[in-house]
Amino acid sequence: MTQPKSLMLILYFYIQFLSSKSFNFTYHGFNDSNLIQEQATVIKPSGALRLTNTTQNVIGHAFFPTPILMFNNTNSNVSSFSTYFIFQIRPSSSKNNGGFGLAFTLSPSPRFLFAEGGHYLGIFNSSNDGSPLNHIFMVEFDTVNGYKEESNTNGNHVGININGMNSMASQPASYYKNGTQATEEVHLESGDPIQAWIDYDGVKNIVNVTVSPLSVPKPIRPLMSEVIDLSHVVMENMYAGFSAATGDKSSSHYILGWSFRINGEADKLDLNRIPYVPPEKTSSTNHKVKKALLASFAVLLFILLLALASIVFCRRVEVMESWELDCPHRFEYRELHKATKGFKESEKIGVGGFGAVYKGILPSNGAEIAVKKIMSNNPLQGMREFAAEIESLGRLRHKNLVNLQGWCKHKNDLLLVYEYVPNGSLDSLLYSSKNGIFLTWQQRFNIIKGIASGLLYLHEEWEQIVIHRDMKSSNVLIDTRLYDHGKTSHTTNVVGTIGYIAPELTRTGRASTSTDVFGYGILLLEVVCGRGPIVYEADRNVILVDWVVECMQKGNIFDAVDGKLNFEYEVEEVELVMGLGLLCSHPRVEVRPTMREVVKYLNGDEILPVFDKLSCAGSRRVDDITSRLLALGLISDTSVSTLFYTSSAGNLSSSSLDTGR
């Protein structure tokens, strides 16, 4: 297998604040919404959201524009949620033989690559149907039976599905009359508005699904009540929305109103404010319209071809190569140019070794994005390797990594598109108060555990090893490189930041998982101390690791703790993080732990060897700590300060240190 040659791509670490507050939204019609709309979906002038029309074999998606935090702060349970919406399905004829239905969906992404219509409802395809890697929860309102059968028949049922089209639970569409055990059928394709409620109890792990006609209030007894633990299905950030599809049978699928809430009951919709859906045009009328359009098209076709030829000769057209079709979503350059206001300087939110990062707002749906603009002096060299890495990164899925949304190649530039992270970088939150936000110790501890979990995924748990190579708090964007497991890197250039670079990287120029661990160790100390990797102390520049060890030598390691915390922290946790930071940033590669070991230390599954069982009195005598380090073979009789910083940044002059980050 050919390895990428010195090519850099970008990943975000998504720094999140855990919050137990309720999140909710309500739509009475969608004229003023900024939903993410895909393929056949349109918003009608009345405000009705039409997912598909009666055209055969089309797909429509509509999703709330920002991901929703699904997990509870206090434990690993999925938060309770509730949604209430009104939909309307109008078949292509009066004989109620339309199809194929719609589904409410929770998904890690608002886009479904290579999804198929028909029975797959625009969400899955024949190859990924049923895969646990989908992480999709859905409730389907299906109007056609015959999934994986030789023929299709009329269907009218509601199903709860996990990761595929085989329903865990399914019932004919109906509702229980209040106070009785009797049910009344609800005809999904009646052409009339229908109400649907989906409620998940995150404590009891129960999913309730209820439907009724518009004239019937929410029944007391749900149609289905199933025990389903979603903690193994959904990811921390999920998109909520709808998907619909047609096949050889077709219907118009509408959403008229929608409310959603985390940790509470979804708001009731005011039925007087629900938009009206005009009657579908008859097939004869449609036929006349089509004939008129065809006649007009025949007249204009020649003019259109001439205009197209003129555009080709008058403008430089960007040509798509065949291999580009296999990569994730390709954005139009003009779309990204408009989103970033022409890559205006005021929209720049970061600068890396391979280009600048810009904030943007997509004109098509109002979604916020971050665009990394990578400069390339040789547009031909390595494009296939770039494509291979983009395709791989598009499949990375972890709750502490922001997903790659797409890309664009324009002239000599490669543009990578990610979700925009509104909370900014860890650097900005450590050293300045943003919007009144101050990082408490518990938030800092949660962040470093989240980063460790993400690094473990990149190093060991994905199908390839991913090395991000520039681990620092100010990096919203993190450089990455892909290798096969068990193979070494062939990097010849050093990429990193003074104070974070592992000593061996300056000698060999080869990045590895161990150099990532070194940078992570510096980051741990930075989070505890509230200081950058270069500390200005007593009219001199001091490496952060040296400064922490000096505090040790003076007799109290807690002098190094960020004063902004005002002593409001867990002593044992601070001691653990500082000890782990020193161990990870050890100059000897063989002494550093792996990220799997780091995660075990942070979760309390194993005890950190350097600092286990020390008292919590607040004073850490240097002779006690030094003796433990000597006993473990981590240091020699030379000074501790000399040990912990040998060449983190190579042989640097004071002027080079003054350049900081």
Side-chain angles (χ1 to χ4, degrees):
M1 176 178 179
T2 303
Q3 297 185 17
K5 300 177 181 179
S6 303
L7 302 175
M8 301 301 299
L9 290 181
I10 308 302
L11 286 178
Y12 281 105
F13 268 109
Y14 202 170
I15 300 171
Q16 298 178 341
F17 294 106
L18 300 177
S19 170
S20 61
K21 295 181 180 179
S22 176
F23 167 83
N24 68 286
F25 58 80
T26 301
Y27 294 110
H28 291 90
F30 298 91
N31 278 335
D32 297 326
S33 69
N34 58 344
L35 299 181
I36 299 174
Q37 302 171 53
E38 293 286 336
Q39 301 196 39
T41 299
V42 297
I43 296 175
K44 304 295 287 182
S46 66
L49 176 68
R50 191 183 70 188
L51 299 171
T52 74
N53 56 19
T54 55
T55 303
Q56 292 181 336
N57 300 306
V58 296
I59 294 170
H61 302 143
F63 281 84
F64 188 72
T66 57
I68 300 170
L69 186 64
M70 296 300 301
F71 279 82
N72 194 313
N73 293 358
T74 57
N75 51 52
S76 59
N77 291 340
V78 176
S79 297
S80 298
F81 65 85
S82 172
T83 188
Y84 166 40
F85 53 92
I86 297 174
F87 67 91
Q88 191 168 352
I89 301 177
R90 285 191 164 168
S92 54
S93 73
S94 59
K95 297 180 181 180
N96 284 357
N97 61 349
F100 269 68
L102 60 88
F104 169 79
T105 307
L106 290 177
S107 166
S109 172
R111 297 177 176 88
F112 303 108
L113 297 178
F114 313 113
E116 297 178 17
H119 287 292
Y120 293 105
L121 296 183
I123 302 173
F124 307 107
N125 58 52
S126 57
S127 62
N128 70 4
D129 182 33
S131 170
L133 299 178
N134 291 328
H135 294 286
I136 289 177
F137 166 78
M138 60 176 280
V139 176
E140 60 170 330
F141 301 85
D142 202 337
T143 59
V144 177
N145 288 326
Y147 169 63
K148 291 189 175 179
E149 297 177 6
E150 292 184 358
S151 61
N152 294 326
T153 60
N154 290 337
N156 189 58
H157 63 273
V158 180
I160 300 174
N161 297 21
I162 302 295
N163 293 327
M165 293 310 303
N166 279 321
S167 297
M168 298 183 63
S170 179
Q171 289 290 336
S174 59
Y175 67 95
Y176 285 92
K177 296 180 179 179
N178 288 339
T180 71
Q181 298 297 315
T183 61
E184 185 76 23
E185 185 175 8
V186 177
H187 295 280
L188 299 180
E189 285 188 307
S190 65
D192 297 324
I194 296 171
Q195 302 176 101
W197 296 264
I198 302 169
D199 303 290
Y200 178 70
D201 188 326
V203 177
K204 299 179 180 179
N205 296 331
I206 294 178
V207 176
N208 290 328
V209 179
T210 311
V211 295
S212 75
L214 196 64
S215 58
V216 177
K218 182 179 182 181
I220 297 174
R221 180 178 175 181
L223 173 62
M224 289 186 288
S225 185
E226 300 292 327
V227 176
I228 302 175
D229 184 1
L230 293 184
S231 63
H232 303 296
V233 180
V234 305
M235 303 182 74
E236 187 164 355
N237 293 281
M238 300 287 281
Y239 286 86
F242 301 92
S243 180
T246 66
D248 55 343
K249 301 174 182 295
S250 62
S251 296
S252 293
H253 300 88
Y254 290 91
I255 305 295
L256 308 183
W258 181 25
S259 65
F260 182 96
R261 184 178 294 274
I262 292 287
N263 294 327
E265 184 177 0
D267 291 346
K268 294 182 179 180
L269 297 174
D270 184 350
L271 302 185
N272 294 321
R273 297 171 59 192
I274 296 302
Y276 168 74
V277 176
E280 297 286 344
K281 295 180 180 179
T282 64
S283 57
S284 60
T285 302
N286 286 336
H287 182 67
K288 293 178 181 178
V289 171
K290 288 179 182 178
K291 288 180 66 177
L293 290 175
L294 286 174
S296 301
F297 180 75
V299 173
L300 296 175
L301 179 59
F302 183 69
I303 299 175
L304 179 62
L305 290 175
L306 286 178
L308 183 60
S310 300
I311 292 174
V312 170
F313 281 102
C314 294
R315 296 177 58 187
R316 296 183 63 183
V317 178
E318 194 172 348
V319 179
M320 180 179 288
E321 301 176 26
S322 59
W323 58 263
E324 298 177 38
L325 299 172
D326 298 326
C327 295
H329 180 67
R330 186 180 195 268
F331 285 88
E332 293 286 345
Y333 179 77
R334 61 176 176 269
E335 182 180 15
L336 299 182
H337 189 272
K338 185 175 181 180
T340 58
K341 300 179 182 178
F343 297 98
K344 194 174 181 180
E345 191 70 20
S346 61
E347 302 305 302
K348 187 181 291 185
I349 56 176
V351 178
F354 288 82
V357 188
Y358 299 85
K359 179 183 177 181
I361 299 177
L362 290 176
S364 58
N365 55 31
E368 292 184 314
I369 56 172
V371 182
K372 174 71 173 180
K373 189 174 185 181
I374 300 175
M375 305 297 183
S376 173
N377 294 326
N378 188 342
L380 298 178
Q381 181 182 1
M383 268 301 174
R384 285 189 177 274
E385 288 85 349
F386 267 125
E389 294 196 33
I390 293 170
E391 185 177 13
S392 298
L393 292 174
R395 293 185 282 114
L396 281 172
R397 288 292 183 272
H398 189 274
K399 64 181 180 180
N400 298 108
L401 296 174
V402 170
N403 299 331
L404 177 69
Q405 297 293 308
W407 69 290
C408 172
K409 180 170 70 71
H410 178 71
K411 297 181 180 179
N412 292 345
D413 298 336
L414 181 70
L415 307 175
L416 301 176
V417 182
Y418 299 87
E419 299 172 40
Y420 173 70
V421 182
N423 287 330
S425 66
L426 175 58
D427 172 85
S428 64
L429 296 172
L430 277 176
Y431 305 124
S432 62
S433 176
K434 181 180 179 182
N435 299 326
I437 297 174
F438 168 74
L439 282 176
T440 65
W441 171 249
Q442 192 56 51
Q443 289 170 333
R444 299 185 194 203
F445 196 53
N446 286 336
I447 287 171
I448 61 177
K449 288 199 294 185
I451 296 173
S453 175
L455 273 177
L456 173 60
Y457 173 78
L458 296 178
H459 286 184
E460 299 183 25
E461 295 178 348
W462 198 52
E463 61 194 46
Q464 291 176 298
I465 298 174
V466 180
I467 304 170
H468 71 63
R469 305 182 77 242
D470 195 8
M471 189 68 188
K472 60 180 180 179
S473 62
S474 61
N475 245 1
V476 175
L477 295 175
I478 299 174
D479 294 330
T480 63
R481 191 163 299 212
L482 301 176
Y483 309 106
D484 288 341
H485 283 284
K487 296 185 179 180
T488 58
S489 128
H490 295 288
T491 308
T492 56
N493 60 320
V494 178
V495 177
T497 301
I498 292 174
Y500 297 91
I501 302 175
E504 70 274 13
L505 187 57
T506 63
R507 297 192 300 271
T508 67
R510 293 182 178 178
S512 67
T513 56
S514 187
T515 58
D516 280 356
V517 172
F518 184 95
Y520 178 74
I522 303 299
L523 178 65
L524 290 178
L525 298 179
E526 190 176 357
V527 170
V528 176
C529 301
R531 294 171 180 254
I534 311 297
V535 179
Y536 185 75
E537 184 77 9
D539 298 326
R540 65 192 178 105
N541 287 314
V542 183
I543 301 299
L544 178 60
V545 178
D546 283 354
W547 183 70
V548 172
V549 175
E550 285 180 9
C551 291
M552 244 202 263
Q553 291 175 317
K554 292 176 182 177
N556 195 342
I557 196 172
F558 291 96
D559 286 347
V561 178
D562 190 353
K564 295 191 293 294
L565 289 171
N566 197 26
F567 301 102
E568 295 181 0
Y569 51 79
E570 294 292 332
V571 172
E572 292 184 354
E573 289 180 353
V574 168
E575 184 183 60
L576 167 66
V577 174
M578 296 184 79
L580 187 57
L582 293 175
L583 192 61
C584 288
S585 58
H586 197 287
R588 286 163 48 193
V589 175
E590 67 273 14
V591 174
R592 297 174 206 155
T594 65
M595 287 311 302
R596 186 170 297 279
E597 292 172 326
V598 168
V599 170
K600 289 180 179 179
Y601 294 143
L602 291 174
N603 290 336
D605 298 329
E606 291 185 7
I607 298 176
L608 185 67
V610 178
F611 289 101
D612 66 314
K613 299 181 181 179
L614 283 179
S615 70
C616 300
S619 177
R620 299 292 183 267
R621 298 306 306 168
V622 67
D623 53 356
D624 185 10
I625 295 175
T626 303
S627 65
R628 290 176 179 272
L629 296 172
L630 285 166
L632 290 165
L634 300 184
I635 64 172
S636 64
D637 291 329
T638 57
S639 84
V640 178
S641 180
T642 301
L643 166 76
F644 275 104
Y645 180 71
T646 56
S647 59
S648 176
N651 296 323
L652 302 174
S653 66
S654 60
S655 62
S656 67
L657 288 175
D658 288 336
T659 62
R661 311 155 175 291

